[in-house]
Protein backbone atom coordinates (compact mmCIF):
# COMPACT_ATOMS: atom_id res chain seq x y z
CA UNK A 1 0.00 0.00 0.00
CA UNK A 2 1.33 3.40 -0.93
CA UNK A 3 0.81 6.61 1.04
CA UNK A 4 1.02 10.20 -0.18
CA UNK A 5 1.97 12.61 2.63
CA UNK A 6 2.88 15.56 0.41
CA UNK A 7 0.92 18.46 1.89
CA UNK A 8 0.53 21.97 0.57
CA UNK A 9 0.64 23.64 3.98
CA UNK A 10 1.66 23.10 7.59
CA UNK A 11 -2.02 23.22 8.59
CA UNK A 12 -2.85 20.45 6.15
CA UNK A 13 0.09 18.37 7.46
CA UNK A 14 -1.04 18.90 11.05
CA UNK A 15 -4.55 17.78 10.19
CA UNK A 16 -3.26 14.70 8.34
CA UNK A 17 -1.09 13.73 11.34
CA UNK A 18 -4.12 13.94 13.62
CA UNK A 19 -6.27 11.91 11.23
CA UNK A 20 -3.67 9.15 10.84
CA UNK A 21 -3.10 8.91 14.61
CA UNK A 22 -6.84 8.80 15.31
CA UNK A 23 -7.42 6.15 12.65
CA UNK A 24 -4.56 3.99 13.95
CA UNK A 25 -5.82 4.37 17.53
CA UNK A 26 -9.32 3.35 16.46
CA UNK A 27 -8.10 0.25 14.64
CA UNK A 28 -5.67 -0.81 17.38
CA UNK A 29 -8.34 -0.44 20.08
CA UNK A 30 -10.61 -2.93 18.33
CA UNK A 31 -10.30 -6.41 19.85
CA UNK A 32 -9.82 -9.16 17.29
CA UNK A 33 -10.86 -12.79 17.70
CA UNK A 34 -7.25 -13.74 18.39
CA UNK A 35 -6.88 -11.01 21.01
CA UNK A 36 -9.95 -12.28 22.82
CA UNK A 37 -8.22 -15.64 23.14
CA UNK A 38 -4.89 -14.37 24.44
CA UNK A 39 -5.70 -11.17 26.31
CA UNK A 40 -6.00 -11.62 30.12
CA UNK A 41 -9.60 -11.64 31.29
CA UNK A 42 -8.85 -9.22 34.14
CA UNK A 43 -7.90 -5.60 33.70
CA UNK A 44 -5.39 -5.56 36.55
CA UNK A 45 -1.68 -4.94 36.10
CA UNK A 46 0.41 -7.64 34.48
CA UNK A 47 3.66 -8.86 36.06
CA UNK A 48 6.54 -6.53 35.23
CA UNK A 49 9.63 -7.92 33.50
CA UNK A 50 11.66 -4.97 34.76
CA UNK A 51 10.50 -5.65 38.32
CA UNK A 52 11.61 -9.26 37.92
CA UNK A 53 15.05 -8.05 36.88
CA UNK A 54 15.24 -5.98 40.06
CA UNK A 55 14.08 -8.96 42.11
CA UNK A 56 16.87 -11.10 40.67
CA UNK A 57 19.39 -8.36 41.45
CA UNK A 58 18.34 -8.59 45.11
CA UNK A 59 18.50 -12.40 44.97
CA UNK A 60 22.09 -12.15 43.75
CA UNK A 61 22.91 -9.65 46.48
CA UNK A 62 21.56 -11.79 49.32
CA UNK A 63 23.08 -15.06 48.07
CA UNK A 64 26.50 -13.71 47.04
CA UNK A 65 26.83 -10.45 49.01
CA UNK A 66 30.63 -10.44 48.89
CA UNK A 67 30.45 -10.31 45.09
CA UNK A 68 27.27 -8.42 44.22
CA UNK A 69 26.94 -5.90 47.06
CA UNK A 70 29.26 -3.08 46.04
CA UNK A 71 29.12 -1.68 49.59
CA UNK A 72 29.98 -4.96 51.28
CA UNK A 73 31.94 -4.35 54.49
CA UNK A 74 32.03 -5.71 58.03
CA UNK A 75 29.82 -8.63 59.01
CA UNK A 76 27.80 -6.44 61.37
CA UNK A 77 27.12 -3.91 58.63
CA UNK A 78 26.43 -6.65 56.12
CA UNK A 79 23.65 -8.12 58.26
CA UNK A 80 21.92 -4.75 58.29
CA UNK A 81 22.36 -4.35 54.53
CA UNK A 82 21.05 -7.87 53.93
CA UNK A 83 17.96 -7.04 55.95
CA UNK A 84 17.31 -4.03 53.74
CA UNK A 85 17.75 -6.08 50.55
CA UNK A 86 15.56 -8.90 51.83
CA UNK A 87 12.80 -6.49 52.82
CA UNK A 88 12.92 -4.85 49.39
CA UNK A 89 12.91 -8.29 47.77
CA UNK A 90 9.87 -9.27 49.83
CA UNK A 91 7.92 -6.13 48.85
CA UNK A 92 8.69 -6.45 45.15
CA UNK A 93 8.03 -10.18 45.10
CA UNK A 94 4.73 -9.86 46.96
CA UNK A 95 3.49 -7.35 44.41
CA UNK A 96 4.56 -9.33 41.36
CA UNK A 97 3.16 -12.60 42.73
CA UNK A 98 -0.13 -10.81 43.38
CA UNK A 99 -0.19 -9.56 39.79
CA UNK A 100 0.48 -13.06 38.45
CA UNK A 101 -2.23 -14.60 40.65
CA UNK A 102 -4.78 -11.93 39.71
CA UNK A 103 -4.13 -12.41 36.00
CA UNK A 104 -4.23 -16.20 36.21
CA UNK A 105 -7.35 -16.27 38.42
CA UNK A 106 -9.29 -13.08 37.64
CA UNK A 107 -12.21 -14.31 39.74
CA UNK A 108 -10.29 -13.60 42.94
CA UNK A 109 -10.32 -10.09 44.30
CA UNK A 110 -7.24 -7.89 44.18
CA UNK A 111 -7.10 -7.84 47.99
CA UNK A 112 -7.13 -11.66 48.08
CA UNK A 113 -4.34 -11.77 45.51
CA UNK A 114 -2.31 -9.23 47.50
CA UNK A 115 -2.63 -11.25 50.71
CA UNK A 116 -1.76 -14.49 48.94
CA UNK A 117 1.18 -12.74 47.28
CA UNK A 118 2.62 -11.81 50.67
CA UNK A 119 2.14 -15.34 51.99
CA UNK A 120 3.94 -16.90 49.02
CA UNK A 121 6.68 -14.27 49.07
CA UNK A 122 7.37 -15.13 52.73
CA UNK A 123 7.78 -18.78 51.75
CA UNK A 124 10.40 -17.75 49.22
CA UNK A 125 12.23 -15.62 51.79
CA UNK A 126 12.33 -18.64 54.09
CA UNK A 127 13.87 -20.68 51.25
CA UNK A 128 16.68 -18.21 50.54
CA UNK A 129 19.26 -19.92 52.81
CA UNK A 130 18.66 -23.25 51.06
CA UNK A 131 18.84 -21.59 47.63
CA UNK A 132 22.18 -20.08 48.68
CA UNK A 133 23.47 -23.46 49.87
CA UNK A 134 22.55 -25.10 46.57
CA UNK A 135 24.16 -22.32 44.55
CA UNK A 136 27.41 -22.71 46.44
CA UNK A 137 27.42 -26.44 45.65
CA UNK A 138 27.03 -25.49 41.98
CA UNK A 139 29.99 -23.11 42.21
CA UNK A 140 32.06 -25.85 43.83
CA UNK A 141 31.11 -28.29 41.06
CA UNK A 142 32.10 -25.79 38.37
CA UNK A 143 35.42 -25.19 40.12
CA UNK A 144 36.09 -28.93 40.41
CA UNK A 145 35.37 -29.51 36.71
CA UNK A 146 37.20 -26.57 35.14
CA UNK A 147 41.01 -26.45 35.10
CA UNK A 148 40.82 -23.05 33.39
CA UNK A 149 40.16 -21.27 36.70
CA UNK A 150 41.66 -21.25 40.18
CA UNK A 151 39.39 -18.54 41.54
CA UNK A 152 35.87 -18.97 42.94
CA UNK A 153 35.29 -15.24 42.54
CA UNK A 154 35.98 -15.43 38.81
CA UNK A 155 33.38 -18.17 38.51
CA UNK A 156 30.70 -16.28 40.45
CA UNK A 157 31.25 -12.98 38.70
CA UNK A 158 31.78 -14.11 35.13
CA UNK A 159 30.58 -17.64 34.40
CA UNK A 160 27.19 -17.67 32.62
CA UNK A 161 26.14 -20.90 34.32
CA UNK A 162 26.13 -19.17 37.72
CA UNK A 163 23.86 -16.46 36.35
CA UNK A 164 21.57 -19.11 34.86
CA UNK A 165 21.50 -21.20 38.03
CA UNK A 166 20.65 -18.22 40.26
CA UNK A 167 17.64 -17.64 38.04
CA UNK A 168 16.72 -21.32 37.84
CA UNK A 169 17.07 -22.10 41.58
CA UNK A 170 14.88 -19.12 42.52
CA UNK A 171 12.33 -19.77 39.75
CA UNK A 172 12.07 -23.44 40.69
CA UNK A 173 11.17 -22.54 44.28
CA UNK A 174 8.54 -20.09 43.03
CA UNK A 175 7.03 -22.83 40.90
CA UNK A 176 7.02 -25.29 43.80
CA UNK A 177 4.88 -22.99 45.96
CA UNK A 178 2.40 -22.47 43.13
CA UNK A 179 3.33 -19.10 41.63
CA UNK A 180 2.28 -18.87 37.96
CA UNK A 181 3.96 -16.96 35.09
CA UNK A 182 6.90 -15.51 37.07
CA UNK A 183 9.08 -18.65 37.08
CA UNK A 184 9.12 -18.78 33.28
CA UNK A 185 9.81 -15.06 33.01
CA UNK A 186 12.81 -15.50 35.31
CA UNK A 187 14.40 -18.43 33.47
CA UNK A 188 13.77 -16.85 30.07
CA UNK A 189 15.61 -13.73 31.25
CA UNK A 190 18.60 -15.97 31.97
CA UNK A 191 18.11 -17.73 28.64
CA UNK A 192 18.30 -14.39 26.83
CA UNK A 193 21.39 -13.36 28.80
CA UNK A 194 23.37 -16.61 28.64
CA UNK A 195 22.01 -18.90 25.92
CA UNK A 196 21.31 -21.51 28.62
CA UNK A 197 17.65 -22.61 28.55
CA UNK A 198 16.53 -24.30 31.78
CA UNK A 199 12.81 -24.75 32.29
CA UNK A 200 11.87 -23.87 35.90
CA UNK A 201 9.95 -27.14 36.19
CA UNK A 202 13.11 -29.25 35.84
CA UNK A 203 14.42 -30.87 39.02
CA UNK A 204 18.19 -30.44 39.45
CA UNK A 205 20.19 -31.81 42.36
CA UNK A 206 23.28 -30.52 44.16
CA UNK A 207 26.73 -29.85 42.66
CA UNK A 208 25.44 -29.20 39.15
CA UNK A 209 27.88 -27.86 36.56
CA UNK A 210 27.62 -26.67 32.98
CA UNK A 211 30.91 -25.99 31.21
CA UNK A 212 30.73 -23.13 28.69
CA UNK A 213 26.95 -23.42 28.51
CA UNK A 214 25.93 -21.97 25.15
CA UNK A 215 23.02 -23.86 23.64
CA UNK A 216 22.19 -26.08 26.62
CA UNK A 217 18.48 -26.97 26.81
CA UNK A 218 16.91 -28.67 29.85
CA UNK A 219 13.24 -29.53 29.50
CA UNK A 220 10.44 -29.07 31.99
CA UNK A 221 10.12 -32.63 33.31
CA UNK A 222 13.83 -33.46 33.45
CA UNK A 223 15.12 -34.98 36.67
CA UNK A 224 18.85 -34.47 37.22
CA UNK A 225 20.68 -36.02 40.16
CA UNK A 226 23.68 -34.82 42.15
CA UNK A 227 27.17 -34.20 40.73
CA UNK A 228 26.01 -34.02 37.11
CA UNK A 229 28.04 -32.13 34.50
CA UNK A 230 26.86 -30.96 31.08
CA UNK A 231 28.88 -29.34 28.31
CA UNK A 232 27.81 -26.83 25.68
CA UNK A 233 25.08 -27.69 23.21
CA UNK A 234 23.55 -30.51 25.26
CA UNK A 235 19.81 -31.02 24.79
CA UNK A 236 17.70 -32.87 27.35
CA UNK A 237 14.47 -32.82 25.39
CA UNK A 238 11.21 -34.57 24.58
CA UNK A 239 10.97 -37.17 21.84
CA UNK A 240 7.25 -36.75 21.23
CA UNK A 241 4.16 -35.20 22.79
CA UNK A 242 0.91 -36.55 24.19
CA UNK A 243 -2.05 -34.61 22.77
CA UNK A 244 -5.46 -33.90 24.27
CA UNK A 245 -8.76 -34.20 22.39
CA UNK A 246 -8.22 -30.78 20.81
CA UNK A 247 -4.76 -31.68 19.54
CA UNK A 248 -2.92 -29.55 22.12
CA UNK A 249 0.18 -31.03 23.86
CA UNK A 250 -0.44 -31.95 27.51
CA UNK A 251 2.05 -31.80 30.34
CA UNK A 252 3.22 -35.33 31.14
CA UNK A 253 6.74 -36.60 32.00
CA UNK A 254 8.54 -36.56 28.66
CA UNK A 255 12.15 -35.59 29.36
CA UNK A 256 15.18 -37.63 30.48
CA UNK A 257 16.22 -38.68 33.97
CA UNK A 258 19.95 -38.35 34.67
CA UNK A 259 21.09 -40.13 37.79
CA UNK A 260 24.02 -39.06 40.02
CA UNK A 261 27.54 -38.53 38.67
CA UNK A 262 26.55 -38.41 34.99
CA UNK A 263 28.66 -36.45 32.49
CA UNK A 264 27.26 -35.42 29.11
CA UNK A 265 29.72 -33.99 26.59
CA UNK A 266 29.20 -31.30 23.97
CA UNK A 267 26.27 -31.38 21.55
CA UNK A 268 24.84 -34.65 22.82
CA UNK A 269 21.06 -34.97 22.44
CA UNK A 270 19.11 -37.09 24.94
CA UNK A 271 15.39 -37.39 24.20
CA UNK A 272 12.32 -38.86 25.83
CA UNK A 273 11.50 -40.26 29.26
CA UNK A 274 14.57 -42.44 29.47
CA UNK A 275 17.02 -42.99 32.32
CA UNK A 276 20.76 -42.47 32.11
CA UNK A 277 22.18 -44.58 34.93
CA UNK A 278 24.54 -43.20 37.56
CA UNK A 279 28.25 -42.77 36.77
CA UNK A 280 27.58 -42.83 33.03
CA UNK A 281 29.51 -40.84 30.43
CA UNK A 282 27.67 -39.73 27.28
CA UNK A 283 30.10 -38.70 24.57
CA UNK A 284 29.91 -35.68 22.30
CA UNK A 285 27.39 -35.57 19.44
CA UNK A 286 25.60 -38.69 20.66
CA UNK A 287 21.88 -39.05 19.85
CA UNK A 288 20.36 -41.08 22.69
CA UNK A 289 16.71 -42.23 22.87
CA UNK A 290 17.01 -45.40 24.97
CA UNK A 291 17.81 -45.88 28.65
CA UNK A 292 21.32 -46.98 29.59
CA UNK A 293 22.41 -48.81 32.75
CA UNK A 294 24.71 -47.34 35.40
CA UNK A 295 28.43 -46.95 34.66
CA UNK A 296 27.89 -46.98 30.90
CA UNK A 297 30.01 -45.32 28.22
CA UNK A 298 27.84 -44.08 25.37
CA UNK A 299 30.00 -43.04 22.43
CA UNK A 300 29.41 -42.02 18.84
CA UNK A 301 30.10 -44.80 16.36
CA UNK A 302 32.99 -44.29 13.99
CA UNK A 303 31.85 -42.30 10.99
CA UNK A 304 32.33 -43.69 7.51
CA UNK A 305 34.04 -41.22 5.24
CA UNK A 306 33.68 -41.22 1.46
CA UNK A 307 37.01 -40.39 -0.15
CA UNK A 308 36.72 -38.90 -3.60
Amino acid sequence: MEYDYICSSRAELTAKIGNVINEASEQLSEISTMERRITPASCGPLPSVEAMREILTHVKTVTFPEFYDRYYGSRAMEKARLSVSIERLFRLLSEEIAHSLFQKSPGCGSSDAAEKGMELALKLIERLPEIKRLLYTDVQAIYDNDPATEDFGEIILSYPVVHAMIHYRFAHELLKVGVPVLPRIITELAHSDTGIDINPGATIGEYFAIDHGTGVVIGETCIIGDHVTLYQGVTLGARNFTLNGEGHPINVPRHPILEDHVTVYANATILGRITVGHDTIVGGNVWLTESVPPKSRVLQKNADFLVR
Side-chain angles (χ1 to χ4, degrees):
M1 184 179 296
E2 295 183 357
Y3 298 92
D4 183 8
Y5 289 143
I6 300 175
C7 304
S8 60
S9 68
R10 180 175 294 275
E12 184 180 349
L13 176 59
T14 301
K16 185 175 286 291
I17 290 171
N19 290 335
V20 170
I21 291 175
N22 288 334
E23 183 178 351
S25 300
E26 183 69 28
Q27 293 178 5
L28 290 171
S29 66
E30 295 176 359
I31 300 177
S32 66
T33 302
M34 177 62 73
E35 284 179 294
R36 289 191 181 94
R37 292 178 56 193
I38 67 175
T39 301
S42 80
C43 58
L46 289 167
S48 165
V49 174
E50 289 308 309
M52 297 312 301
R53 288 189 184 276
E54 185 177 351
I55 284 169
L56 267 297
T57 297
H58 287 291
V59 172
K60 284 184 175 184
T61 299
V62 301
T63 51
F64 296 105
E66 302 91 336
F67 300 95
Y68 289 109
D69 184 354
R70 59 185 298 187
Y71 301 107
Y72 181 81
S74 67
R75 182 166 294 275
M77 287 295 295
E78 184 56 28
K79 183 178 179 180
R81 292 187 56 77
L82 280 173
S83 295
V84 172
S85 288
I86 293 171
E87 182 176 1
R88 177 61 176 162
L89 173 59
F90 168 73
R91 299 299 177 191
L92 284 169
L93 192 57
S94 298
E95 184 174 335
E96 295 309 311
I97 292 175
H99 292 166
S100 69
L101 293 172
F102 192 54
Q103 293 298 329
K104 204 70 174 178
S105 304
C108 72
S110 58
S111 60
D112 294 334
E115 183 175 344
K116 187 67 173 178
M118 288 188 284
E119 292 176 0
L120 294 179
L122 277 178
K123 290 185 179 182
L124 266 294
I125 298 302
E126 291 175 340
R127 293 293 294 168
L128 284 174
E130 176 62 9
I131 293 172
K132 177 175 180 175
R133 186 191 71 80
L134 289 169
L135 287 170
Y136 271 87
T137 70
D138 298 334
V139 172
Q140 181 70 56
I142 297 164
Y143 179 85
D144 292 341
N145 282 279
D146 190 356
T149 185
E150 297 180 355
D151 186 348
F152 286 98
E154 179 183 26
I155 293 170
I156 293 169
L157 289 172
S158 65
Y159 278 38
V161 62
V162 175
H163 183 79
M165 289 307 292
I166 291 171
H167 283 64
Y168 160 75
R169 296 284 188 198
F170 189 71
H172 185 66
E173 294 300 325
L174 278 171
L175 193 67
K176 283 168 61 177
V177 301
V179 176
V181 184
L182 302 188
R184 194 60 184 267
I185 292 174
I186 291 170
T187 53
E188 291 300 336
L189 287 173
H191 182 196
S192 297
D193 292 341
T194 67
I196 299 171
D197 183 0
I198 307 177
N199 190 288
T203 300
I204 301 178
E206 303 176 354
Y207 296 95
F208 178 68
I210 302 176
D211 198 359
H212 302 294
T214 305
V216 167
V217 176
I218 300 175
E220 179 184 20
T221 61
C222 279
I223 299 176
I224 298 175
D226 299 336
H227 298 278
V228 170
T229 299
L230 309 180
Y231 285 78
Q232 69 272 17
V234 167
T235 296
L236 305 180
R239 187 176 181 181
N240 48 46
F241 302 103
T242 302
L243 305 178
N244 63 16
E246 298 177 351
H248 185 76
I250 59 176
N251 188 6
V252 296
R254 59 198 182 278
H255 298 102
I257 299 171
L258 274 57
E259 295 182 345
D260 298 346
H261 297 280
V262 168
T263 299
V264 184
Y265 282 97
N267 299 313
T269 299
I270 305 175
L271 301 180
R273 194 58 165 186
I274 64 175
T275 298
V276 179
H278 65 81
D279 295 280
T280 287
I281 293 176
V282 179
N285 299 303
V286 163
W287 181 276
L288 184 61
T289 57
E290 297 180 358
S291 295
V292 295
K295 299 183 179 180
S296 298
R297 300 292 181 271
V298 185
L299 304 175
Q300 186 184 35
K301 293 182 179 180
N302 292 331
D304 294 324
F305 292 93
L306 178 62
V307 179
R308 295 184 183 276

